[in-house]
Amino acid sequence: MQSAPSANPYAKVIENSRRVRWDIDSDVIRNRRFDLDKTFLPAGLSLVNELDFMTPDDRRLLSQVQGRSYAYIFGLVERFIGAKMLEISRQHALGDQAALEALVRMTDEELKHQKLFRRMESMMADDMPAGYMATADPDAVAAAVLGKSTWSVLALTLDIELFTQAHYRASIEPEDDLCALWKDVFLAHWKEESQHAQLDELEFLREDAHLSAAERDAAVGDLIDLVVAVDGILVAQAGADASYFASIAGMRYDDAQRAAIADGVLKAYRWQYIVSGVTAPRFQKILFGVLDDRQTARVTQALQPLLHAMPASSPGMTRH
């Protein structure tokens, strides 16, 4: 007889985690290489179609450069996410054992994702031209992030894992002409991140319930600082990626076009990692649902300079 579904939300996460669990080699990579004749990051995320002076081949190349950084940056953020979830799991160690198991499983999955993204980088480094540069050290970023309040780190983590869902469903899944291996990596990633987003919401609301008004005020300041820090990482990586692309493209583009490409890459990264998340209805409902009007205004004002980084045509990223 089939058992009744669990009423414990942590137990439900465990059930789903067991059901979708995958192995890097046997389920995802499967002895394949990345196909450089195919697009990696779809245009709904890379925004390469807004650079209409570029050749189709160069748009594909730029999608591959951005796709390489997409994997690198996910590996970067999962360093601090895994560490934070391991820390939070201790709060459940002598209490709800389902919550403890769910968070330990999430930590294990984040470690697996980091390993997968390191494999991707090694494989892409073998097949793509030399000169690519990752601009931020994962441990240094994690140390800086983890120095902020738990509330702010959980809010940032929730944002990241919600936009992971939106990116896959709205832009990656519908595209039939992407590199098959690259698409399968992010299908696998999406399957496990779906559970992680549920845990993020549970832990964020649990943490928020313990805060005084003054503590929440300070935590809002921390969250704003983290968004600024993320933008700094994106500015540096976008600059490096534009230079890497230019080194491969050679003299095909003049100075004005190369500047437009650099601006386009930065816009795309801000769209991918900040704007697509903070404008998502579910994230806004959760975050602004715990803030008062003054705190909401602080967050909105801090985000305002970045909100120009929206696609020229909507890719349907608000579907949740």
Side-chain angles (χ1 to χ4, degrees), residues 103-114:
L103 290 167
V104 169
R105 291 181 73 90
M106 177 176 173
T107 303
D108 174 64
E109 288 162 358
E110 295 288 23
L111 289 168
K112 179 176 66 175
H113 298 174
Q114 290 182 58

Side-chain angles (χ1 to χ4, degrees), residues 62 65 130-133 236-250 258 261-262 265:
L62 188 54
V65 174
Y132 177 84
M133 182 174 66
Q237 192 62 44
D241 288 354
S243 295
Y244 174 57
F245 172 82
S247 72
I248 302 170
R258 285 195 291 270
I261 292 168
V265 173

Side-chain angles (χ1 to χ4, degrees), residues 151-211:
W151 185 97
S152 66
V153 177
L154 287 172
L156 178 62
T157 300
L158 176 63
D159 175 47
I160 291 168
E161 289 177 335
L162 284 177
F163 74 57
T164 302
Q165 306 305 297
H167 288 181
Y168 184 78
R169 288 198 303 265
S171 289
I172 298 173
E173 182 181 36
E175 294 294 329
D176 295 328
D177 198 37
L178 301 182
C179 167
L181 174 54
W182 195 93
K183 187 173 182 177
D184 284 351
V185 165
F186 286 97
L187 168 61
H189 188 241
W190 168 74
K191 287 179 178 179
E192 292 187 336
E193 292 294 321
S194 296
Q195 282 65 250
H196 299 181
Q198 296 173 46
L199 288 175
D200 297 335
E201 180 176 350
L202 289 168
E203 292 303 311
F204 173 75
L205 293 174
R206 191 175 72 90
E207 177 67 17
D208 181 80
H210 299 152
L211 297 188

Side-chain angles (χ1 to χ4, degrees), residues 104-150:
V104 169
R105 291 181 73 90
M106 177 176 173
T107 303
D108 174 64
E109 288 162 358
E110 295 288 23
L111 289 168
K112 179 176 66 175
H113 298 174
Q114 290 182 58
K115 183 177 180 181
L116 172 60
F117 293 137
R118 288 194 297 270
R119 284 280 298 278
M120 287 182 72
E121 170 54 32
S122 176
M123 293 168 66
M124 288 187 281
D126 288 341
D127 294 338
M128 295 178 71
Y132 177 84
M133 182 174 66
T135 59
D137 176 72
D139 288 331
V141 170
V145 171
L146 295 173
K148 297 295 185 180
S149 61
T150 293

Side-chain angles (χ1 to χ4, degrees), residues 73-94:
I73 293 174
F74 268 117
L76 178 83
V77 300
E78 287 179 338
R79 186 70 56 91
F80 72 74
I81 292 173
K84 193 64 182 180
M85 291 304 165
L86 187 61
E87 173 192 315
I88 291 172
S89 70
R90 298 189 184 101
Q91 299 173 12
H92 297 283
L94 302 180

